[in-house]
Amino acid sequence: MESARKDDHIVYDPATGRMLAPPRQLFLELTGRCNLCCVHCPVDYGTSAGRARGELPFETIERLMPWLREAHSVNLNVVGEPLIYSRFLDVLALFGDDARRVHFNTNGMALTPRLARELVGRRVGSVIVSVDGIETNEALRGVPYEKLRAKIELLCAEKRAQGSAFPLIGVAFTILPRNRFELPLVLEDLAPLGIQAMHIQPLMLFYEGLRDENVYTCPGLDEGLQAVRRRATELGIEMNVFRSRTQADERHTDGDDVRVQLGGFSPTYGCSDPFYEMKILSTGQVQACSRGVLTGLNVNEHELDALWNHPWYLELRKRLHAARFEGPCLSCPYIFGSRENQAVLFRPGVHHSHEHRLALRYTRPARFSRT
């Protein structure tokens, strides 16, 4: 099997800072819009502080196709919900009937039987659905767990109906103090449906109102994650913890797990993002990394190599390759986890439009109730 470690696909000249191959991963923010308003999202959807709700022009995507065909993988989102893009099916059609290089994360709520048939029929590489607990999911995401579970079941059933191995169906779980004991319940409940992966990361604290949701204050966090990993292995589900400061994080794993690299941490390059990927926002702006650092460049104004090897990028790569983290890189939660830099990310005076949901408590569905 081809290595999934980003570092193995980077072709870099340290002397000049230039990349000798195009980006191996391209993120296309099809839309900055979202059909949910998750309390812990870094974007204040529904408020004046929220990101503009535009879409990436379809013509821009068509122009990018020569680059997208060379990429190791193409992700159809940065923020925003890709399934509500007005021409989502047209985007899939650009990749033909074998779209195994296409991946995306979704909140799942816009998934329909037709979309499920298309995703399976076109052999999309992976679909990762965000699930944040059983009791907790409604408080954080505004939708009950049972409704989201039905969407996952729909996609898994379509795979079985078509007899297809694609897409890989996984779950992204953001772990907080309030939902950490729900993680094994979610695993046990979704495993029989046919999920194949669980991607887990601690909550990044962007808002003052989330101060009490720092999971690093919880005793036994590592032990709990390791126990869930053992159970996932028994169930044949690939579990990865990343962007964390825990010993369960992917950077500390041994054996076959070293083949996978989800987060940006790199022992060779410091951060793999500016060496491996390019994020293109719905405005055409180029974002250098998961932290959200903007390059000041726009894909509609430059050819790819002029972007990818722009002097701005060359300087950044030289610093990172020399392990010099400066400016926003110095406190990046995606590289260093969020233990040491929680306070840096707080935005006092900015309140999420549905932050009040944090105070709510929901009743666990009957089949999960303790006896």
Side-chain angles (χ1 to χ4, degrees), residues 149-213:
R149 183 186 189 276
K151 298 290 187 177
I152 297 172
E153 187 172 22
L154 168 66
L155 187 56
C156 291
E158 186 61 40
K159 277 184 64 176
R160 291 192 295 272
Q162 294 193 33
S164 177
F166 294 93
L168 179 146
I169 300 173
V171 167
F173 191 101
T174 303
I175 193 165
L176 300 79
R178 69 172 62 199
N179 71 355
R180 63 192 180 109
F181 295 116
E182 298 176 47
L183 177 58
L185 295 175
V186 170
L187 174 65
E188 296 289 350
D189 188 51
L190 297 182
L193 301 186
I195 67 164
Q196 299 154 277
M198 290 197 76
H199 297 169
I200 300 167
Q201 71 174 64
L203 173 69
M204 302 295 179
L205 303 188
F206 294 99
Y207 299 99
E208 182 71 27
L210 296 173
R211 184 183 292 273
D212 294 335
E213 300 298 339

Side-chain angles (χ1 to χ4, degrees), residues 12 16 74 101 153 163 199-200 238 254 271 274 292 332 361:
Y12 173 65
T16 63
V74 177
R101 291 178 300 107
E153 187 172 22
H199 297 169
I200 300 167
E238 179 186 277
D254 297 316
C271 171
C332 177
R361 291 293 182 270

Side-chain angles (χ1 to χ4, degrees), residues 86 116 190 192 211 218 221-222 240 268 297 327 336 344 367-368:
S86 60
L190 297 182
R211 184 183 292 273
C218 300
L221 175 62
D222 261 306
N240 286 287
T268 303
L297 306 170
F336 302 112
V344 175
R367 62 197 179 89
F368 295 105

Side-chain angles (χ1 to χ4, degrees), residues 58-258:
F58 185 74
E59 294 73 22
T60 299
I61 302 172
E62 289 181 306
R63 189 169 64 83
L64 290 170
M65 282 308 296
W67 306 342
L68 299 176
R69 292 191 186 101
E70 291 188 51
H72 183 266
S73 65
V74 177
N75 289 63
L76 300 181
N77 58 296
V78 179
V79 300
E81 170 51 48
L83 291 182
I84 66 173
Y85 182 61
S86 60
R87 300 189 64 177
F88 183 81
L89 290 178
D90 292 333
V91 173
L92 288 187
L94 291 174
F95 294 91
D97 293 331
D98 192 354
R100 280 178 285 182
R101 291 178 300 107
V102 176
H103 312 268
F104 63 92
N105 283 54
T106 174
N107 61 45
M109 299 314 299
L111 185 67
T112 64
R114 182 189 179 193
L115 278 174
R117 286 193 298 272
E118 288 284 341
L119 293 170
V120 176
R122 294 192 179 277
R123 297 168 63 83
V124 167
S126 68
V127 178
I128 307 297
V129 183
S130 294
V131 179
D132 287 335
I134 294 172
E135 292 178 344
T136 307
N137 199 76
E138 190 163 359
L140 295 182
R141 297 191 166 273
V143 294
Y145 169 79
E146 292 291 326
K147 188 172 183 178
L148 183 55
R149 183 186 189 276
K151 298 290 187 177
I152 297 172
E153 187 172 22
L154 168 66
L155 187 56
C156 291
E158 186 61 40
K159 277 184 64 176
R160 291 192 295 272
Q162 294 193 33
S164 177
F166 294 93
L168 179 146
I169 300 173
V171 167
F173 191 101
T174 303
I175 193 165
L176 300 79
R178 69 172 62 199
N179 71 355
R180 63 192 180 109
F181 295 116
E182 298 176 47
L183 177 58
L185 295 175
V186 170
L187 174 65
E188 296 289 350
D189 188 51
L190 297 182
L193 301 186
I195 67 164
Q196 299 154 277
M198 290 197 76
H199 297 169
I200 300 167
Q201 71 174 64
L203 173 69
M204 302 295 179
L205 303 188
F206 294 99
Y207 299 99
E208 182 71 27
L210 296 173
R211 184 183 292 273
D212 294 335
E213 300 298 339
N214 183 359
V215 74
Y216 291 112
T217 64
C218 300
L221 175 62
D222 261 306
E223 293 83 351
L225 289 173
Q226 297 289 14
V228 176
R229 186 195 298 279
R230 289 192 293 272
R231 179 56 179 153
T233 300
E234 293 173 356
L235 293 169
I237 293 173
E238 179 186 277
M239 174 182 147
N240 286 287
V241 181
F242 63 110
R243 296 175 176 169
S244 81
R245 295 290 290 178
T246 71
Q247 288 301 307
D249 192 275
E250 61 168 356
R251 71 189 75 183
H252 301 302
T253 55
D254 297 316
D256 292 340
D257 284 342
V258 300

Side-chain angles (χ1 to χ4, degrees), residues 27-32 51 54-57 60 77-79 278-289 292-294 298-300:
F27 287 78
L28 302 179
E29 185 181 69
L30 297 183
T31 177
R51 179 176 293 197
E55 291 194 342
L56 187 66
T60 299
N77 58 296
V78 179
V79 300
M278 179 182 288
K279 289 180 165 67
I280 299 171
L281 305 186
S282 59
T283 59
Q285 292 175 288
V286 176
Q287 183 174 303
C289 62
V293 175
L294 294 175
N298 193 296
V299 74
N300 295 310

